[in-house]
Each structure stands twice: as C-alpha cells, then as structure tokens.
Amino acid sequence: MSPVTQVSATVVVDRASIRSGYRTVEVPIMPAHAMSFFVPRVHQIAANLLCAAIASAPLAIAAQSASTAPQSAPSPSKMPAWIRSEDSRASTARALKAASIQAGIAKPAIASTLSHLSAVPSLPAVPIAQFESGDDSFVSPQGIAIDGAKNLYVTDTALQKVFKVTQDGDRVAVGSGFMVPQAAAVDGFGNVYVADSQAGLLYKVAPDGMQTTVGSGFYMPMSVAVDKAGNVYAADPWNGFVAKITPGGIQTSLGGGYNSPVGVAVDRDGNVYVADTYNAAVFKIAPDGTQTTLGAGLVAPQYVAVDRSGDLYVTDTGTNSLVRISRDGALTTAISGLDVPIGVAVDASGDIYIVNSFNHNIIVSRSR
C-alpha cells in the first residue's frame, strides 16, 4: 500500500451537501509552505489536557456507570460526565453556526489548514466531511467501521446510536437500545457488532435488523472486532483483558499483561492487535498465542486498524496524530495536528477513516 495522503483542509458541509455523498467533496492541493501554521501555547496546553482526559476516560465512564442493562431511553443523568459536556459543547456550537447562517455570515467553505504530514512524503489532498448541521449531526462520534461496499458505521456516544452512512450520504440508525455505543465492527455478511461500554455488553445487529447479545460480563468494553471465521474480540480496559467469543458463544481471555487495553483489531491471518493506552504500546497476539510488543514511541494509543498488507494504523491522543506501524515494526507519523483522534478504520482499497472526535468529523485519507 502506498503512503497516507495529506490532510490539507477542513470542509464544512451543510445538510444539503451531505446528500451529495461523503466522498465527493474535493479539497484543492495546498503548497508545502502553506501547510505549516503556528498554534498558540495556550491552545497546546489545552490540547494536552484534553489528551490526558481522553486517556483517563475509562475511569470517568466507569465511575459514572450506574447500570449494567441496556435501555431504550436512558436519562441524561446516567450518561458519563464527559459525554454530557461534549453534548453541551456541540449544542452551543451548532446554535452559533445556525445563527450565523441565518444572518448570512457563515457559508459552507474551506477552512484553515488542519494538519500536515510528518515523516512521509507530501501527497495529494483528501476530502473531509464534517457532519454537524440539522438532523445529520454527529455530537460525540467515537468508533468507526467500514464494510465491503464502503458504507461507514459510526458510533455516537452522546446520541446513543450507531449510524450507517452510505456513499450517497444517506444516514440511518442501526440497532437500538444502546446506552453508550463506543465502537462498532462489521463482518463480510453485513452483521454489525456494537460494544456498549456502559451496558457492559456486545451486540450483534443482523442485516434484517434482528439484534442479539453476543458478549456479556464486561465492565466497560471499549472496542470490538470480528475475524473472517466469525470470532468476535473486545477490549475491556477497566478489567484489563481482551475477550475472544467464538460463533458458538464460548468466551475466553486472550493475551495478557495489559494495563488499559482500549482498541482491538484482527488481520486476515488471525493475528489480533491490542492498543493499550497506559502501556503506551500495541500488542500482537498470534493465532498460536505468542504475544509481542509493537509501537515503541507511542504516547497514548487508543484505537487500531490493520490493512490488507498488515500495516497498522493507531490513533494516539497523546500526540494528536495517526501513527503507522509497518509490518517490519517501523513507526512513522502518518497525520499530525488532529483534535483527539479516536476511532480508525481501513477499507479494502487502503483508504483510511479517522474519527476526529473533538472536531465532530470524519477524515477520509485516500491511498493512491
């Protein structure tokens, strides 16, 4: 696979534009000298504090959890405090934007430079869509998955929903009754798996809408993955373990030595990768159980995805960047200057999707 493309600008897309498709917005290429920008020291300190808050989010969620059973309409008081704060922030931002649009001040436009590449060559610009207006809003996007048809599945912890977004821009809710849907995965048959961190459960939503529980006994599952054989994997940072659940429902613990395992992914050969935030590392567990450590130099890894060639992509909230770990173990910064990146997914063609959580958008980075 070729290197990651360059993120050059943020495109704010209004509700009408979303219908034209999340991959149709083209961003012009910017010269290299225009890619650099200065961030005030105060903003940098604030960003570091946000990173620390996200890294300790498992503790915040666990402290706020008051129930272990899902319900269709949980009251706001049962939501984690950091999600309530995010919802308030997003609502205020949308109100200000709506007032600006009504006054004729704000229009969908190309905003200032978002980020630049570090340690990889400059490449063509990529499209970025920010869903933040009207009924098409994301409030607190966290996890992301993509199927063979390039439909996106995005979890929104504040809206308590999992959304399917097609290439045409249509968006529908998948499943129901979630409390805090933290992450999602999808298999080759179109089944969607959801990790509900506050309910402590894993759900499977079939293409026909039938919803079942496939994993239980978790305190706070933060991620979910599924392999080609139908085995489901989930990481629980509070209990410090990674679970494997077979199609027959047998649940076992996988690997060990974790401190705060948050993200989990699996490749075509059955190798499982675990992003451990407090160990600042990614663990690889081979099918025979052999465990190795990858990612020396990570600060606060959150989620991990693997492409068809076996290269890993890790969101590191400690550096606000997307990090690439090649099959030989080399670590490079793929994209920097993000705003608390959380979920990450890679499709069959090598395109990378990143949930830029505090910008409430999804960044699509195309491969060549």
Side-chain angles (χ1 to χ4, degrees), residues 14 48 50 108 129 158 189 211 307 368:
D14 63 11
N48 292 338
L50 289 176
F189 301 100
Q211 184 168 320
D307 66 18
R368 284 185 175 180

Side-chain angles (χ1 to χ4, degrees), residues 193-213:
Y193 300 83
V194 181
D196 191 324
S197 61
Q198 191 158 343
L201 299 171
L202 301 179
Y203 296 103
K204 174 183 176 181
V205 184
D208 63 2
M210 181 177 293
Q211 184 168 320
T212 55
T213 301

Side-chain angles (χ1 to χ4, degrees), residues 145-166:
I146 187 165
D147 64 19
K150 294 196 174 185
N151 298 305
L152 296 181
Y153 299 84
V154 183
T155 63
D156 192 311
T157 54
L159 295 179
Q160 300 170 308
K161 294 181 181 296
V162 178
F163 294 102
K164 175 181 178 180
V165 184
T166 70

